[in-house]
Amino acid sequence: MESSSEGDMKKIPVIFLVFLLLAAVPGPRECSALSLQEGLRIVTGEGWDVKIARHREEAAAASVSLARSKQLPRINLYGRQVWLKNQPEAISSLGGTFPLSEKDFLTYGISASQVLYDFGRTGRLVKSAESAVMAQGSRTEGTNNRAALNFIMTY
């Protein structure tokens, strides 16, 4: 059986730890009133809705460069290594065999292609992506205005 003094000794580190944690918690701070201009700056600059709308606008802007990339040439680099178990051979009608290729060989190369004319498809994709950027910019502005209006009405 444990004596009560031993049980009290085990509680002392726990109580000390609780006091230490409570001392680390900040107390109430002095608050100052938020001006309308400061609040609008915070809401329109750092509000979640506005940040999300700006990120969507950035994604739409990235789609423009993606649409323009269809006008760029495509370049492919390739390399292959072949290790055959047996030497490939052909049987000649004269009664002998002769090798068809090497047993081990490396193949590498480069290929490039360029679309010369796509019947306006790329131009339409670029215009569509630019229109999407303008539309998302309007949505961002609307989100910004809505956040500001909500703050002003709450203020």
Side-chain angles (χ1 to χ4, degrees):
M1 268 264 162
E2 239 181 62
S3 70
S4 69
S5 65
E6 287 179 18
D8 290 339
M9 292 301 286
K10 288 182 180 179
K11 291 180 185 178
I12 290 175
V14 173
I15 292 171
F16 180 71
L17 183 64
V18 169
F19 280 124
L20 191 65
L21 288 174
L22 288 175
V25 174
R29 296 184 183 157
E30 186 178 319
C31 296
S32 61
L34 189 65
S35 71
L36 183 62
Q37 287 79 17
E38 289 174 355
L40 285 174
R41 183 185 51 79
I42 291 170
V43 168
T44 58
E46 301 173 15
W48 285 107
D49 293 342
V50 177
K51 282 185 179 180
I52 290 170
R54 285 189 187 129
H55 285 296
R56 287 182 180 160
E57 189 173 358
E58 290 170 6
S63 68
V64 173
S65 62
L66 187 63
R68 282 196 179 116
S69 71
K70 305 229 184 263
Q71 298 170 338
L72 299 174
R74 295 176 191 245
I75 300 173
N76 297 316
L77 299 172
Y78 62 89
R80 294 182 195 98
Q81 176 70 43
V82 176
W83 294 283
L84 299 174
K85 184 176 180 183
N86 300 315
Q87 178 79 33
E89 297 178 337
I91 300 173
S92 172
S93 60
L94 301 173
T97 61
F98 61 92
L100 292 175
S101 71
E102 296 292 323
K103 183 177 175 188
D104 301 326
F105 58 91
L106 172 68
T107 305
Y108 57 90
I110 183 171
S111 67
S113 63
Q114 172 68 48
V115 175
L116 298 177
Y117 188 68
D118 63 355
F119 301 97
R121 179 176 181 239
T122 303
R124 286 191 304 268
L125 284 174
V126 171
K127 284 182 184 178
S128 173
E130 288 171 347
S131 297
V133 170
M134 289 176 52
Q136 188 59 46
S138 297
R139 286 189 207 107
T140 301
E141 189 176 334
T143 302
N144 199 2
N145 290 340
R146 190 176 330 110
L149 182 63
N150 286 340
F151 178 76
I152 290 170
M153 298 205 33
T154 308
Y155 189 75

